[in-house]
Amino acid sequence: PAALPLVVRAGAGSVRDTLSVLDQLMSGAPDTGVSYQLATQLLGYTPDALIDEAISGFAPHDGPQAFSVMDRVMESGQDPRRFTEDLLQRWRDLVILTAVPKAIETGLLDVPGDRAEVLRQQVAAFTPGALVRAADIVSAALANLRGATAPRMMLELMCARILVPAADSSPAGI
């Protein structure tokens, strides 16, 4: 059950593609079935733990933690574009959860039960404006990663932009 949201996402809105992805996962799965970890690996998605770590670095403006995540993405051989897509997906979920607090219960967000509390904690760490701003920054970075010759630098610039406070009248914003 925890892998189903990943399968649906991989199907990109096509029932036929979703069923094909599910069939491929099931054919390569052990007798115990398709786990979330197996689906993440086989579909190439970023593990939730890495996205969680990035978000928990951005919330308190913890530069060392956030940049450490970007470094691990590059050093582990993960696709920086896939990481950025997955990070944008998380920001989207957080924005929706902020606007619609019952989004998980009503099915607007397809989140495994054990992840719901994690998302609620992450939402509480940001203002709604900060969430939308971060999503905009990640979206722009995703567009810039297309054909980028220096993907590490693009990830680091994205990270820096999220960590820098939005322009406001406070000394930190200025």
Side-chain angles (χ1 to χ4, degrees), residues 134-158:
D136 284 341
I137 291 168
V138 174
S139 179
L142 184 58
N144 291 336
L145 272 168
R146 190 170 288 129
T149 57
R152 175 185 289 272
M153 185 179 297
M154 298 306 298
L155 284 180
E156 290 170 345
L157 287 172
M158 173 194 72

Side-chain angles (χ1 to χ4, degrees), residues 55-143:
I55 297 293
S56 67
F58 292 135
H61 300 282
D62 183 348
Q65 180 174 339
F67 276 96
S68 171
V69 170
M70 301 308 129
D71 183 57
R72 279 202 316 265
V73 166
M74 295 307 296
E75 294 301 318
S76 67
Q78 280 194 265
D79 178 15
R81 186 163 167 73
R82 168 53 74 185
F83 169 78
T84 307
E85 288 173 357
D86 294 343
L87 183 60
L88 182 58
Q89 179 71 34
R90 175 64 60 84
W91 288 117
R92 172 218 174 251
D93 291 349
L94 296 177
V95 167
I96 289 174
L97 193 55
T98 297
V100 184
K102 299 263 184 207
I104 295 171
E105 292 80 9
T106 61
L108 185 59
L109 290 179
D110 195 9
V111 177
D114 62 333
R115 300 291 306 155
E117 187 55 35
V118 172
L119 291 183
R120 285 190 179 94
Q121 290 172 0
Q122 290 174 348
V123 161
F126 295 93
T127 65
L131 288 171
V132 171
R133 179 179 170 275
D136 284 341
I137 291 168
V138 174
S139 179
L142 184 58

